[in-house]
């Protein structure tokens, strides 16, 4: 491998990203330079460039910078497993784009009456993204959950699952209300507290991710809708979005 250190200008020329972007990545701790010269110039080695390559791939996959940082900083980070996941996501996007191209050509051929909204469905991509984020993005929460899981016995686990489903059932009974109402928002606050008390510290960011998973993962959606009736998973997700948006700093 090339051992030569590269300047910001050289990295920018190599990758096509701007010097300003590299400076910003340094400021937020996403990509630190290998060294900074006495004159204040940032320099990057092959290890830094490899990390940058991962950052750019995840950016192409539309991952937020905060989530990319969490993934790359995970103590369990496995480059070979991550690249396999990136390939899977890229292949899913490739398939999705191919379906859109075919659909658009059909419109060109038959006219705008050729209706097919299924081609806009990205749930398969979103589901896989949620799994990747859950594995790498919340390592601390996952480890906390494992520790609590070891400490509890089977009866407690069953009781907790029943309590959680009861909470979804109660939320299902509120589907006729606006997700923004106090009654619904209080239920979401109780859900967040329950997860924190029994599984792991459920930050607003983690709660938002769970809301996405409740609708993107068919297993969660089915169980939640079974507990609270059809549409409960979507309703809970909407209520979580409102809840988290009110608590942004």
């Amino acid at each position: 491998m090339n051992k030569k250190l590269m300047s910001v200008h050289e990295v920018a020329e190599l990758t096509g990203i701007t010097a300003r972007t590299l400076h910003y990545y340094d400021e937020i701790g996403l990509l630190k330079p290998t060294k900074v010269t006495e004159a204040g110039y940032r320099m990057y080695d092959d290890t830094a460039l490899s990390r940058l390559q991962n950052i750019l791939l995840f950016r192409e996959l539309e991952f937020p910078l905060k989530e990319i940082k969490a993934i790359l900083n995970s103590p369990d980070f496995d480059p070979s497993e991550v690249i396999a996941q990136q390939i899977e996501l890229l292949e899913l996007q490739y398939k999705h784009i191919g379906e859109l191209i075919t659909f658009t050509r059909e419109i060109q051929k038959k006219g705008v009456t050729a209706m097919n909204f299924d081609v806009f469905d990205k749930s398969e991509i979103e589901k896989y993204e949620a799994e990747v984020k859950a594995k790498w993005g919340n390592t601390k929460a996952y480890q906390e959950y494992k520790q609590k899981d070891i400490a509890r016995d089977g009866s407690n686990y069953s009781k907790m699952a029943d309590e959680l489903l009861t909470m979804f059932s109660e939320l299902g009974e509120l589907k006729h209300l606006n997700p923004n109402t106090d009654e619904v928002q209080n239920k979401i606050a109780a859900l967040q507290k329950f997860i924190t008390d029994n599984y792991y510290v459920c930050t607003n960011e983690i709660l938002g991710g769970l809301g996405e998973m409740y609708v993107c993962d068919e297993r969660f959606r089915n169980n939640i809708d079974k507990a609270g009736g059809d549409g409960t998973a979507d309703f809970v997700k909407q209520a979580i979005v409102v809840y988290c948006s009110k608590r942004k700093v």
Side-chain angles (χ1 to χ4, degrees):
M1 293 181 69
N2 178 23
K3 300 297 183 182
K4 176 181 176 291
L5 291 176
M6 299 182 70
S7 67
V8 167
H9 177 71
E10 289 171 325
V11 173
E13 281 196 338
L14 176 68
T15 63
I17 65 174
T18 65
R20 184 176 181 179
T21 298
L22 285 169
H23 292 168
Y24 179 66
Y25 286 175
D26 182 11
E27 289 170 13
I28 65 174
L30 178 60
L31 179 69
K32 288 290 185 182
T34 306
K35 65 174 289 188
V36 178
T37 68
E38 292 182 2
Y41 294 110
R42 296 172 173 86
M43 306 297 291
Y44 300 83
D45 65 4
D46 288 336
T47 300
L49 292 178
S50 177
R51 182 178 173 96
L52 177 58
Q53 181 174 268
N54 267 308
I55 293 168
L56 296 180
L57 277 169
F58 276 120
R59 288 300 288 153
E60 286 294 323
L61 293 166
E62 300 180 355
F63 276 57
L65 293 178
K66 190 173 183 179
E67 291 175 357
I68 297 173
K69 182 180 176 181
I71 292 170
L72 299 183
N73 288 352
S74 166
D76 299 320
F77 179 74
D78 182 344
S80 61
E81 186 173 355
V82 167
I83 195 68
Q85 292 169 336
Q86 289 170 336
I87 290 170
E88 177 71 19
L89 279 167
L90 287 167
E91 287 178 341
L92 287 171
Q93 286 197 352
Y94 178 75
K95 175 187 173 186
H96 178 67
I97 292 171
E99 290 170 348
L100 285 173
I101 292 171
T102 300
F103 172 62
T104 308
R105 283 176 175 162
E106 196 72 10
I107 292 177
Q108 186 181 48
K109 182 179 177 182
K110 296 183 178 179
V112 293
T113 55
M115 297 291 184
N116 177 15
F117 291 97
D118 290 342
V119 297
F120 300 105
D121 182 10
K122 296 181 70 176
S123 60
E124 188 178 6
I125 297 173
E126 290 167 353
K127 177 183 174 182
Y128 193 83
E129 284 181 350
E131 290 181 3
V132 172
K133 293 171 186 177
K135 179 173 179 61
W136 303 108
N138 295 317
T139 302
K140 182 179 179 181
Y142 180 66
Q143 294 298 330
E144 188 178 348
Y145 164 73
K146 286 204 300 185
Q147 290 173 2
K148 288 186 177 181
D149 192 44
I150 291 170
R152 68 174 65 97
D153 57 36
S155 60
N156 282 338
Y157 187 87
S158 178
K159 181 182 177 183
M160 284 164 42
D162 288 342
E163 289 180 20
L164 193 56
L165 288 176
T166 297
M167 299 183 84
F168 287 128
S169 175
E170 292 172 351
L171 278 161
E173 293 174 0
L174 302 178
K175 291 198 298 289
H176 63 286
L177 299 176
N178 188 306
N180 194 35
T181 60
D182 288 343
E183 190 173 358
V184 175
Q185 289 299 296
N186 288 339
K187 290 289 185 184
I188 297 301
L191 175 64
Q192 184 181 40
K193 184 177 186 305
F194 180 84
I195 294 170
T196 294
D197 290 345
N198 294 281
Y199 295 96
Y200 43 75
V201 176
C202 185
T203 63
N204 292 334
E205 182 181 1
I206 291 177
L207 183 65
L210 289 173
E212 292 290 339
M213 192 163 60
Y214 291 159
V215 295
C216 293
D217 191 308
E218 189 175 347
R219 296 161 295 182
F220 279 98
R221 178 189 284 273
N222 289 342
N223 286 331
I224 292 171
D225 283 356
K226 185 177 179 181
D230 289 345
T232 299
D234 285 309
F235 179 72
V236 172
K237 190 250 184 179
Q238 292 169 25
I240 287 174
V241 169
V242 173
Y243 180 88
C244 293
S245 68
K246 288 181 176 180
R247 287 156 180 77
K248 284 184 178 177
V249 178

